[in-house]
Amino acid sequence: MTLHRNYTIAAFVVGLGSLLSWSIQPLAARALLPIFGGSNAVWTSSLIFFQLALLIGYLLSHWVASRSKSAFICYLVLMATATVQLPVDFFDVSVGNHPVGDVWLSLCVCIGLPSLILYACSPLVQWVLGDSKGQTTFTLFAWSNGGSLLGLLSYPFLIEPNLTVSTQFVLWSVLFGIFCLALATIVISHRLSGNESKTERHQLKIRWLWFCPSALGVALLVSISEAISVDLTVTPILWILPLAVYLVTFIVTFGFPRLWMGQRVWFLGVLVLTLFIYLRLESWSVHWSMQLAGWCTILGVGCLCLHAELVKRQPATQQLTNYYVSIAAGGVIGGLIVGSILPAFINLRLEVDFTIMATVGYLWHASRKRSEGQMSFASLYPSTVIGLTSLVCLGSVLTYRVLKELSGETHVYRNAYGTLKIKRYPVPRKKGGLIHLLDGRISHGFQYLGDTHRREPTAYFTEESGIGRILNQRTKARKVGVLGLGVGTLSAYSRPGDSYTFFELNPLVVDIAKTHFSYLKEARGIVKIVVGDGRKSLERMSKGAFDLLIIDAFTGDAIPAHLLTEEAFSIYAHRLRSDGLLAINVSNRHANLRRVVESHCHKHNLPFSWIRHRARSPLGVYVSEWAFVAKDLNGLQQHKLPALETTESNVTWRDDFAPVLPILK
């Protein structure tokens, strides 16, 4: 086979490999969410893992490009081994209590080898084709990112809403087998062609010029994805959108370099920095759609400028694999810095601020380096003036935000599950002020500090709310299970003889509820706390353990879908007594979860009721929406709840099929 005449085949292989490598990312994270309790750490950890896999894959391609016989044979053996392991599937291989390490271990065991084969494909095929044609083939990199973009966008809109997770794995595995067959054909034919060229070494300075733009680009992707997830919601569609923008910048810069070379973009850069400052200063008051569009615009313009710097430094074919190894290494380091290193030393979420400042500084420096030898007022302006002004403005905004976040009596804590902030307010004075727990801009509850008011239930749990009405109807001692601790507000309803068992995923929340809030200490009944995923913990409990089971895990930034599936409802039913009641807090700004609950009730002929309430507070209005499900009508009637008619819905969730897109508001 003459590779010069089979450019289309090479483009197909590269595009299919990229499609598979990027579609597996949301699929893998979707499969791992139930295992790790719907934590946002799953997606952040997955991003860094796949960047590391990309680096190792590029190193593998660089080794194969050394043209040693053993390297080609080893690569073919790895492809055969990965194919034999199909179909790929995910299972819980966690060995500890640290979600990041457990996520990495699960990904490594389940899809580590196929990922390496996929990531090694693009640079290897580009090197093979470039060697055969005597020229570099960077347009294949655009094909590669085009396949990646197709794989990403098809997942939330076509694949997830229509296919179960198990079916998705089977389809992915079949396509992977086809890919391996085509790639093996290209590699073997190149080996038989007898062409002998070898990769070249480079100076450290050249590698650094490739390393920096890539590191900053991935740092932008990870930090902005984190900002979107914290303030909006953790769903595949919002994971994928920033990734899609990131890939489009590669397609534009590498596939159509004349459209964007990043030389005279300072005016656009000023507009983008103004948008960034607006988003950081206004914070939660900005509508979610404006936030999403704004963050993606910032990511897009920033990565266009950074990746244009990579295009300007494209090497010859002999340096191709080294070029991609340096790019991948930069991506890994950039992702690790903003995803792991900075969070370990800084409790506040400031990664995106530091990344934007570093990006502006780097682009300013790169612009000045290109202007050396022709230093004049024209070359200094606008890059120098605007660059310095931008850095001063960004530094001022960062300082203002830090002072604002830490103003007053504030405590900030951070772990793998997120950042928690505790603030005390002197208002309302007649109730002794209050203390408030926040995760990002999401309220996890507050408590009044005055002696006569500190046992008063607040937020979504006031006495007039749906759950407040149920808990105030106590006629006998009862056992209550609660998935989601918050600040422990529901324990205020406990009475002597009652037993309340809270299930909480984040151990930091437990520590805060015990040390900064007094609901748990002053509870009149028995209070137990079980740390870990609520569903898993319930599975280990005896049948009929509770009179009332409360699911309070959907008001925050994440939607733990595994707590609302048919399998989860089956677990709840077995843990409730025959006359027990299931109460679900489906208050969520982004998703209409009532449709999911009604769908289960309609399908299994379960009585259903609904209470919506608006509670005013010094922190604003809390709109609580509570769904109630019983095993029979008597279960609702004894709690004075009206049975409502349910309608058939197409959003019934199962463990392997829980699309979020149909219920987004």
Side-chain angles (χ1 to χ4, degrees):
M1 181 177 71
T2 303
L3 289 175
H4 180 72
R5 299 176 181 176
N6 289 276
Y7 183 89
T8 303
I9 297 177
F12 167 77
V13 171
V14 169
L16 178 60
S18 296
L19 184 150
L20 292 172
S21 63
W22 285 79
S23 63
I24 194 61
Q25 296 189 28
L27 174 56
R30 166 67 184 84
L32 289 176
L33 276 175
I35 298 175
F36 297 98
S39 169
N40 178 53
V42 170
W43 181 241
T44 303
S45 303
S46 297
L47 275 178
I48 301 174
F49 170 85
F50 284 112
Q51 284 294 326
L52 181 59
L54 179 68
L55 172 60
I56 299 175
Y58 282 0
L59 286 171
L60 177 61
S61 69
H62 179 60
W63 179 56
V64 175
S66 67
R67 300 304 302 276
S68 66
K69 184 177 180 180
S70 59
F72 276 90
I73 294 175
C74 182
Y75 189 64
L76 293 174
V77 170
L78 289 176
M79 275 196 287
T81 304
T83 306
V84 170
Q85 292 180 344
L86 303 177
V88 68
D89 199 358
F90 281 86
F91 49 89
D92 190 353
V93 294
S94 59
V95 295
N97 295 319
H98 197 281
V100 174
D102 291 344
V103 168
W104 277 41
L105 179 60
S106 297
L107 291 170
C108 186
V109 170
C110 298
I111 61 166
L113 185 56
S115 297
L116 296 185
I117 300 298
L118 290 168
Y119 287 131
C121 166
S122 179
L124 184 60
V125 172
Q126 290 178 60
W127 174 79
V128 165
L129 193 62
D131 178 36
S132 176
K133 297 174 66 175
Q135 63 183 49
T136 56
T137 54
F138 287 103
T139 51
L140 277 177
F141 192 62
W143 277 100
S144 171
N145 286 283
S148 303
L149 183 63
L150 178 61
L152 277 176
L153 296 181
S154 64
Y155 186 80
F157 298 108
L158 296 178
I159 298 176
E160 189 192 28
N162 298 301
L163 300 177
T164 64
V165 173
S166 56
T167 303
Q168 293 174 37
F169 281 128
V170 172
L171 176 61
W172 190 91
S173 301
V174 171
L175 292 175
F176 182 79
I178 296 172
F179 160 81
C180 285
L181 181 62
L183 179 59
T185 302
I186 292 178
V187 172
I188 292 173
S189 64
H190 176 63
R191 178 62 186 170
L192 295 177
S193 68
N195 293 325
E196 295 292 339
S197 77
K198 297 197 175 184
T199 58
E200 296 180 355
R201 300 193 178 200
H202 327 75
Q203 299 177 358
L204 181 61
K205 179 180 179 181
I206 297 177
R207 289 183 179 273
W208 181 255
L209 295 177
W210 296 335
F211 177 93
C212 287
S214 176
L216 289 171
V218 173
L220 276 177
L221 172 64
V222 175
S223 60
I224 287 179
S225 297
E226 176 77 2
I228 292 174
S229 296
V230 168
D231 279 343
L232 298 178
T233 184
V234 181
T235 66
I237 188 172
L238 294 187
W239 295 339
I240 289 168
L241 190 56
L243 267 175
V245 171
Y246 178 77
L247 289 174
V248 166
T249 63
F250 272 118
I251 295 172
V252 172
T253 52
F254 278 79
F256 310 94
R258 294 183 180 181
L259 293 180
W260 187 283
M261 289 304 294
Q263 292 179 344
R264 298 186 179 277
V265 295
W266 285 104
F267 179 72
L268 181 59
V270 169
L271 295 179
V272 169
L273 289 175
T274 302
L275 176 61
F276 171 78
I277 293 172
Y278 168 72
L279 290 176
R280 297 310 270 169
L281 292 180
E282 294 299 319
S283 186
W284 60 269
S285 62
V286 182
H287 190 266
W288 70 268
S289 60
M290 178 62 181
Q291 285 197 60
L292 188 58
W295 283 122
C296 288
T297 300
I298 294 168
L299 175 64
V301 174
C303 286
L304 280 171
C305 295
L306 291 168
H307 295 159
E309 296 295 325
L310 290 175
V311 173
K312 294 169 185 174
R313 296 172 174 84
Q314 289 176 345
T317 301
Q318 291 77 13
Q319 300 176 341
L320 189 63
T321 53
N322 272 306
Y323 177 67
Y324 285 119
V325 167
S326 300
I327 290 176
V332 170
I333 298 302
L336 285 174
I337 289 175
V338 299
S340 299
I341 297 176
L342 285 179
F345 293 96
I346 303 175
N347 285 337
L348 292 176
R349 294 183 184 272
L350 302 175
E351 294 83 15
V352 69
D353 301 85
F354 290 132
T355 303
I356 292 292
M357 292 182 68
T359 300
V360 172
Y362 171 80
L363 293 175
W364 173 39
H365 174 73
S367 176
R368 285 179 57 84
K369 292 293 288 183
R370 282 193 297 272
S371 300
E372 287 183 357
Q374 49 179 349
M375 299 300 290
S376 64
F377 180 80
S379 64
L380 287 175
Y381 181 86
S383 62
T384 299
V385 176
I386 296 180
L388 285 174
T389 304
S390 299
L391 288 174
V392 171
C393 291
L394 290 172
S396 301
V397 171
L398 175 61
T399 303
Y400 170 78
R401 288 193 66 251
V402 170
L403 293 176
K404 182 179 179 181
E405 291 283 340
L406 300 180
S407 63
E409 191 173 349
T410 304
H411 301 274
V412 181
Y413 303 92
R414 190 170 189 173
N415 65 0
Y417 294 101
T419 299
L420 298 174
K421 181 171 61 177
I422 303 166
K423 291 187 75 73
R424 288 178 179 262
Y425 299 91
V427 292
R429 296 187 181 278
K430 64 179 181 180
K431 294 187 177 183
L434 61 85
I435 183 172
H436 189 203
L437 175 63
L438 292 137
D439 183 357
R441 76 182 209 178
I442 306 298
S443 172
H444 284 281
F446 68 92
Q447 181 181 21
Y448 296 117
L449 298 175
D451 292 337
T452 59
H453 295 279
R454 64 186 182 190
R455 295 195 72 257
E456 179 180 329
T458 60
Y460 302 102
F461 317 105
T462 61
E463 295 185 356
E464 295 80 16
S465 67
I467 194 62
R469 301 179 198 180
I470 298 301
L471 292 174
N472 272 334
Q473 294 174 8
R474 180 183 183 277
T475 57
K476 60 179 181 179
R478 55 189 171 189
K479 295 183 178 180
V480 179
V482 185
L483 272 67
L485 175 63
V487 300
T489 309
L490 286 172
S491 63
Y493 289 101
S494 66
R495 299 292 182 269
D498 291 343
S499 176
Y500 278 59
T501 303
F502 290 91
F503 302 90
E504 175 55 47
L505 177 67
N506 189 348
L508 183 56
V509 172
V510 178
D511 294 338
I512 290 174
K514 288 181 176 180
T515 56
H516 292 274
F517 297 83
S518 62
Y519 282 123
L520 297 176
K521 301 175 189 175
E522 299 180 357
R524 298 174 184 175
I526 299 173
V527 175
K528 303 175 183 178
I529 298 177
V530 178
V531 179
D533 179 65
R535 175 172 160 175
K536 287 184 179 180
S537 301
L538 277 177
E539 287 181 301
R540 295 190 288 265
M541 302 194 72
S542 60
K543 294 185 177 181
F546 300 107
D547 301 293
L548 175 63
L549 190 56
I550 302 171
I551 315 299
D552 177 37
F554 305 107
T555 57
D557 53 341
I559 301 176
H562 70 295
L563 298 182
L564 275 186
T565 61
E566 286 191 18
E567 293 83 354
F569 269 63
S570 177
I571 295 172
Y572 303 153
H574 284 88
R575 299 306 176 268
L576 283 171
R577 295 180 178 175
S578 57
D579 59 346
L581 183 68
L582 175 65
I584 308 172
N585 185 5
V586 293
S587 310
N588 192 281
R589 295 172 299 142
H590 309 292
N592 183 8
L593 297 171
R594 174 176 175 172
R595 292 183 60 191
V596 180
V597 178
E598 280 194 88
S599 177
H600 291 315
C601 293
H602 181 85
K603 184 175 181 179
H604 298 285
N605 197 27
L606 298 172
F608 167 83
S609 191
W610 176 267
I611 296 178
R612 187 177 190 272
H613 179 259
R614 291 173 60 88
R616 296 186 177 276
S617 78
L619 299 174
V621 176
Y622 282 80
V623 179
S624 63
E625 298 177 331
W626 286 90
F628 299 96
V629 182
K631 294 183 178 181
D632 52 41
L633 283 175
N634 181 55
L636 291 183
Q637 291 172 353
Q638 70 175 354
H639 291 96
K640 302 177 183 178
L641 291 170
L644 303 178
E645 183 178 351
T646 59
T647 57
E648 186 175 1
S649 173
N650 61 352
V651 288
T652 301
W653 282 359
R654 301 185 299 275
D655 280 351
D656 65 347
F657 184 70
V660 177
L661 187 60
I663 63 170
L664 289 180
K665 296 178 180 177

